[in-house]
Amino acid sequence: MPAFRERWLGVADRVEVQCLREYQGVEAGRTTQIRPDDELRPCPALWDYLVILSDRRVVPCCVDINGDMTLGDIADTDIQTLWTRNPVLQELRAHHLRYDYTGYPLCRGCEFTNVSLLKRKARETETELTAE
């Protein structure tokens, strides 16, 4: 990890390494779905950062641990081009601004886009903590 961080510190504004977590709308064996009355928002990450996977593929989101929404390979394209002129990222941002996650399974059940889901999880956690 230190070599990875050192390599990218001079290139990126910030370098973070995350541990592996459950993602993609699946948590503890149950799939999360958008309810008709859920409060949705565009994912803030799409305007904040890009993620570079261990195999050099660049994805728009830390939830995309399998590289399903690959924007390119960092060895072939620079970050500035990927950030400002990548058609896949531009289309994804446009869909998010319309709250249209139909073509993006990673986004549909994500707590970053679903404020109601985040609030439900917070209530469940609070209930579990007070029950102990």
Side-chain angles (χ1 to χ4, degrees):
M1 289 302 157
F4 176 86
R5 290 180 61 79
E6 186 65 31
R7 163 66 176 97
W8 293 107
L9 275 174
V11 178
D13 295 331
R14 185 175 76 219
V15 177
E16 294 179 16
V17 178
Q18 291 185 348
C19 61
L20 185 61
R21 297 184 265 181
E22 287 186 87
Y23 280 126
Q24 302 177 346
V26 178
E27 185 174 310
R30 66 176 191 239
T31 302
T32 315
Q33 297 297 329
I34 294 175
R35 297 177 184 173
D37 61 336
D38 278 350
E39 176 188 351
L40 304 177
R41 69 175 178 181
C43 180
L46 298 178
W47 289 270
D48 193 30
Y49 60 82
L50 292 173
V51 176
I52 302 171
L53 300 176
S54 60
D55 63 0
R56 300 184 321 223
R57 288 180 296 158
V58 179
V59 294
C61 153
C62 65
V63 175
D64 190 5
I65 59 175
N66 294 320
D68 295 330
M69 295 188 291
T70 301
L71 303 175
D73 187 311
I74 196 62
D76 301 328
T77 311
D78 63 276
I79 290 286
Q80 182 70 23
T81 301
L82 288 170
W83 185 252
T84 59
R85 294 191 296 271
N86 185 280
V88 175
L89 181 58
Q90 290 173 349
E91 181 178 334
L92 181 60
R93 287 173 174 162
H95 279 267
H96 272 245
L97 289 172
R98 293 191 305 269
Y99 307 104
D100 174 14
Y101 310 114
T102 53
Y104 303 97
L106 292 177
C107 305
R108 271 200 308 267
C110 180
E111 63 192 41
F112 295 114
T113 59
N114 190 325
V115 177
S116 300
L117 173 62
L118 189 56
K119 288 177 182 177
R120 284 193 297 273
K121 283 185 172 186
R123 282 192 301 271
E124 289 171 9
T125 302
E126 184 178 33
T127 302
E128 289 170 7
L129 290 175
T130 56
E132 292 178 356

